[in-house]
């Protein structure tokens, strides 16, 4: 899954630390999400979308490989 979290965060001039505090997670979690190393839970994705006043689908997008059986 890819995301536009970093771009959205920078557009709103919010640091990783500030976003983490608002979302109730660690800065490391935000960093891992931005780097594509961690997929947020549905709850966290919804919280982040509310913080940015946008939809989850605008921040997070499935890639073709996400549809492949594991």
């Amino acid at each position: 899954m890819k995301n536009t979290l970093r771009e959205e965060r920078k557009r709103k001039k919010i640091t990783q630390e500030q976003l983490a505090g608002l979302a109730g997670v660690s800065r490391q979690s935000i960093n891992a999400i931005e780097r594509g190393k961690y997929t947020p839970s549905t709850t966290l994705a919804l919280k982040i979308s509310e913080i940015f006043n946008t939809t989850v689908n605008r921040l997070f997008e499935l890639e073709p490989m996400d549809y492949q059986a594991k």
Side-chain angles (χ1 to χ4, degrees), residues 27-38:
R27 185 202 55 80
Q28 291 84 354
S29 292
I30 299 299
N31 182 270
I33 293 168
E34 288 184 356
R35 292 183 305 127
K37 302 293 182 184
Y38 174 69

Side-chain angles (χ1 to χ4, degrees), residues 2-55:
K2 61 183 176 177
N3 69 76
T4 59
L5 187 56
R6 178 175 294 152
E7 293 84 359
E8 189 68 21
R9 185 176 56 74
K10 290 188 182 244
R11 186 177 8 264
K12 301 286 187 176
K13 296 184 169 94
I14 297 174
T15 66
Q16 287 182 344
E17 189 71 36
Q18 290 168 325
L19 178 56
L22 292 169
V25 297
S26 69
R27 185 202 55 80
Q28 291 84 354
S29 292
I30 299 299
N31 182 270
I33 293 168
E34 288 184 356
R35 292 183 305 127
K37 302 293 182 184
Y38 174 69
T39 301
S41 68
T42 304
T43 303
L44 179 54
L46 287 166
K47 283 181 183 179
I48 292 171
S49 71
E50 286 185 7
I51 290 165
F52 289 117
N53 195 33
T54 190
T55 65

